[in-house]
């Protein structure tokens, strides 16, 4: 099957295969071809260029993109979309004055979701999660990382990871699985937290590795959750099974999460609502991608990741949704990109780079996703008629997507 998209107003994020991420001042550059064509064979981008230089191309499908912009689909490198039920009661509790931490202390929060998930069948969990997956695909996401972490028993963590695997088998969107057994301490380990760390290390990790259910490992390294020492122990053990770290750090407090992440060559350190000078120094010495989750800051009313400080220190930055029932009940990457521009003062070019090529890097997908590059997957968003790409984050809340192609096929 050959698809030609012609008369594209602007084809954006056009890259050579050698570029696997962008940092610092380079994030302000978004390579663009105006009045362009894009040629797809089966699931791969095979050619693109200016309409002035288009050769005779035979295609099965031709899409006229006059007045429209074409860009790579979003790469959402941090989500928790496999969960059971919702937590709108806690949302109301927070409106009435309780904090996220206070709700968690009352047995709400992650433990509330874990209880619901443990009581939900694998099949029902699959059905609930597939709806969210279909929603984010229609909003332009073409690759997504999904974490476990609402199971908190060996059985329930395996159930979550099997659902992720099933989603990955049944949908065209690229899915990467992360084991987040270290998301919270189950109540029964309240007074013996190290015993839960032990369960993760000696029971969960071997089983997950045996079934090949995860590529990445995550830890919620945070006050009242997992200490730096516990994070270190889990990452050390994970390494024996070849799991690559991508960890939650600096959401509410800075306890040394960036350091332990960088020491373990984490692929990414995520959240970073708080960042100190040492964190910046450490990140500069590393290949670790900092990841910001502005929808979480928006929903919880906590600080936004200081994007300007990170980028102006010549660091890269990726943007992801954090889609989950507690802190971010939204997987809309268009809103993430808008919010990054509006609240974090990222330019549209920086935000789009952060949500495409840098997001792909943060899930080890640089070779196949994140840019318009010959040989990469034909994953593209075709917008409605818009005046410019800056209009996308500007018109926040409007759905400006006309068509989403994943692996060369329209998902609609
Ligand atoms: O990334 N911070 C830890 N985990 C999630 C929230 C989990 C929840 O509240 O269910 C997050 O924000
Ligand atoms: Fe998260």
């Amino acid at each position: 099957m050959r698809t030609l998209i012609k008369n594209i107003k602007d084809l954006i994020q056009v890259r050579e295969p050698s570029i696997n991420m962008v940092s610092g001042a380079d994030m302000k550059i978004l390579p663009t071809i105006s009045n362009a064509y894009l040629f797809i064979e089966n699931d791969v981008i095979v050619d693109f260029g200016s309409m002035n230089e288009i050769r005779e191309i035979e295609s099965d499908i031709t899409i006229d993109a006059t007045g429209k912009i074409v860009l790579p689909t979003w790469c959402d490198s941090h989500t928790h979309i496999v969960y059971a039920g919702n937590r709108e009661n806690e949302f109301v509790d927070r409106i009435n004055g309780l904090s996220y931490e206070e709700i968690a202390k009352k047995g709400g929060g992650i433990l509330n979701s874990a209880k619901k998930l443990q009581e939900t069948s694998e099949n029902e969990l699959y059905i609930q999660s597939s709806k969210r997956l279909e929603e984010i695909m229609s909003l332009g996401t073409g690759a997504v990382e999904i974490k476990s972490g609402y199971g908190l028993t060996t059985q329930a963590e395996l159930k979550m990871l099997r659902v992720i695997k099933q989603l990955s088998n049944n949908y065209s969107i690229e899915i990467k699985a992360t084991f987040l057994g270290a998301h919270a301490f189950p109540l029964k380990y309240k007074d013996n937290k190290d015993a839960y760390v032990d369960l993760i290390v000696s029971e969960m990790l071997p089983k997950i590795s045996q079934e090949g259910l995860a590529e990445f490992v995550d830890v919620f390294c945070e006050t009242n959750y997992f200490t730096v020492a516990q994070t270190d122990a889990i990452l050390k053990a994970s390494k024996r099974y070849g799991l690559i770290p991508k960890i939650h750090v600096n959401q509410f407090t800075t306890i040394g999460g960036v350091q332990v992440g960088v020491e373990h060559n984490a692929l990414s350190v995520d959240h970073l609502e708080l960042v100190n000078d040492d964190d910046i120094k450490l990140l500069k010495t590393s290949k670790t991608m900092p990841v910001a989750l502005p929808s979480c800051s928006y929903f919880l009313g906590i600080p936004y990741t200081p994007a300007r400080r990170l980028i102006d220190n010549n660091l890269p930055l990726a943007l992801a949704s954090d889609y989950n029932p507690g802190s971010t009940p939204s997987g809309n990457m268009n809103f993430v990109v808008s919010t990054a521009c509006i609240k974090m003062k990222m330019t549209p070019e920086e935000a789009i780079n952060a949500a495409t090529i840098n997001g792909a890097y943060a899930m080890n997908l640089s070779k196949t996703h994140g840019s318009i590059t010959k040989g990469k997957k034909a994953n593209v968003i075709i917008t409605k008629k818009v005046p410019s790409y800056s209009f996308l984050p500007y018109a926040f809340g409007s759905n400006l997507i006309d068509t989403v192609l994943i692996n060369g096929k329209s998902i609609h």
Side-chain angles (χ1 to χ4, degrees), residues 38-48 371-380:
L38 176 69
F39 188 53
I40 295 165
E41 249 180 71
N42 299 321
D43 59 341
V44 174
I45 295 171
V46 290
D47 196 15
F48 54 80
S371 61
I372 303 295
T373 300
K374 285 179 197 168
K376 282 198 182 183
K377 290 284 180 196
N379 282 16
V380 299

Side-chain angles (χ1 to χ4, degrees), residues 78 80 87 100 109-110 113 150 183 220 248 251 271 293 296 322 324-328:
H78 181 138
H80 312 245
R87 303 207 321 250
Y100 181 83
I110 296 166
S113 285
Y150 291 119
H183 199 190
F220 188 13
H248 281 72
Q251 183 175 8
H271 272 285
L293 310 165
C296 174
D322 200 19
N324 76 74
S327 72
T328 323

Side-chain angles (χ1 to χ4, degrees), residues 11-313:
L11 177 64
I12 70 174
Q13 190 63 301
V14 171
R15 298 276 180 184
E16 290 298 322
S18 55
I19 306 289
N20 64 354
M21 56 117 132
V22 282
S23 47
D26 290 342
M27 286 189 72
K28 284 202 170 59
I29 299 163
L30 193 59
T32 299
I33 304 176
S34 294
N35 188 28
Y37 72 92
L38 176 69
F39 188 53
I40 295 165
E41 249 180 71
N42 299 321
D43 59 341
V44 174
I45 295 171
V46 290
D47 196 15
F48 54 80
S50 159
M51 283 300 289
N52 302 328
E53 286 156 19
I54 192 167
R55 59 191 166 85
E56 202 61 35
I57 291 179
E58 269 184 40
S59 60
D60 304 299
I61 297 175
T62 302
I63 301 170
D64 185 353
T66 301
K68 300 173 176 182
I69 286 173
V70 172
L71 67 155
T73 50
W74 307 124
C75 293
D76 189 353
S77 64
H78 181 138
T79 82
H80 312 245
I81 67 171
V82 171
Y83 58 84
N86 286 287
R87 303 207 321 250
E88 68 273 25
N89 300 350
E90 295 179 9
F91 167 63
V92 177
D93 285 346
R94 280 193 297 102
I95 294 171
N96 286 322
L98 287 184
S99 71
Y100 181 83
E101 291 95 325
E102 284 164 340
I103 291 165
K105 280 211 179 97
K106 284 201 322 175
I110 296 166
L111 293 185
N112 183 359
S113 285
K115 186 166 180 292
K116 289 186 168 127
L117 189 136
Q118 288 161 12
E119 292 162 355
T120 302
S121 72
E122 190 167 320
N123 187 43
E124 173 59 23
L125 189 59
Y126 177 85
I127 293 168
Q128 290 188 23
S129 307
S130 60
K131 289 198 182 113
R132 294 178 201 118
L133 193 66
E134 286 172 20
E135 186 200 5
I136 65 167
M137 288 166 74
S138 72
L139 291 167
T141 296
V144 65
E145 180 258 19
I146 309 177
K147 301 172 192 299
S148 71
Y150 291 119
L152 309 183
T153 65
T154 304
Q155 208 190 3
E157 284 294 309
L158 287 169
K159 176 164 74 181
M160 284 190 83
L161 289 164
R162 287 182 191 131
V163 167
I164 298 172
K165 189 168 201 170
Q166 218 187 324
L167 290 169
S168 156
N169 291 340
N170 295 348
Y171 285 89
S172 56
I173 181 173
E174 180 70 32
I175 297 178
K176 293 279 191 161
T178 299
F179 169 54
L180 175 56
H183 199 190
F185 290 97
L187 274 185
K188 91 178 215 220
Y189 294 96
K190 193 165 63 83
D191 300 315
N192 189 7
K193 292 184 168 169
D194 283 335
Y196 183 63
V197 173
D198 220 50
L199 181 77
I200 290 174
V201 168
S202 55
E203 190 174 292
M204 294 188 189
L205 277 171
K207 289 208 166 131
I208 285 154
S209 144
Q210 203 178 7
E211 281 192 46
L213 289 173
E215 174 174 345
F216 304 124
V217 61
D218 192 349
V219 177
F220 188 13
C221 183
E222 181 61 60
T223 306
N224 293 329
Y225 293 84
F226 292 79
T227 64
V228 168
Q230 288 163 339
T231 305
D232 181 60
I234 293 165
L235 297 188
K236 269 203 186 100
S238 300
K239 198 174 175 191
R240 294 201 290 273
Y241 300 99
L243 298 186
I244 300 163
K246 283 170 67 64
I247 65 173
H248 281 72
V249 301
N250 294 23
Q251 183 175 8
F252 302 108
T253 57
T254 50
I255 61 170
V258 172
Q259 183 167 357
V260 68
V262 167
E263 276 167 13
H264 285 274
N265 297 315
L267 182 59
S268 69
V269 284
D270 303 28
H271 272 285
L272 298 168
E273 284 83 347
L274 307 173
V275 174
N276 59 38
D277 290 344
D278 286 343
D279 293 334
I280 290 187
K281 271 193 214 129
L282 283 161
L283 286 167
K284 279 186 169 182
T285 66
S286 77
K287 292 197 161 80
T288 301
M289 177 65 70
V291 179
L293 310 165
S295 294
C296 174
S297 300
Y298 175 83
F299 188 73
L300 292 185
I302 60 176
Y304 288 87
T305 302
R308 282 269 53 93
R309 235 175 98 212
L310 295 167
I311 296 172
D312 295 343
N313 267 288

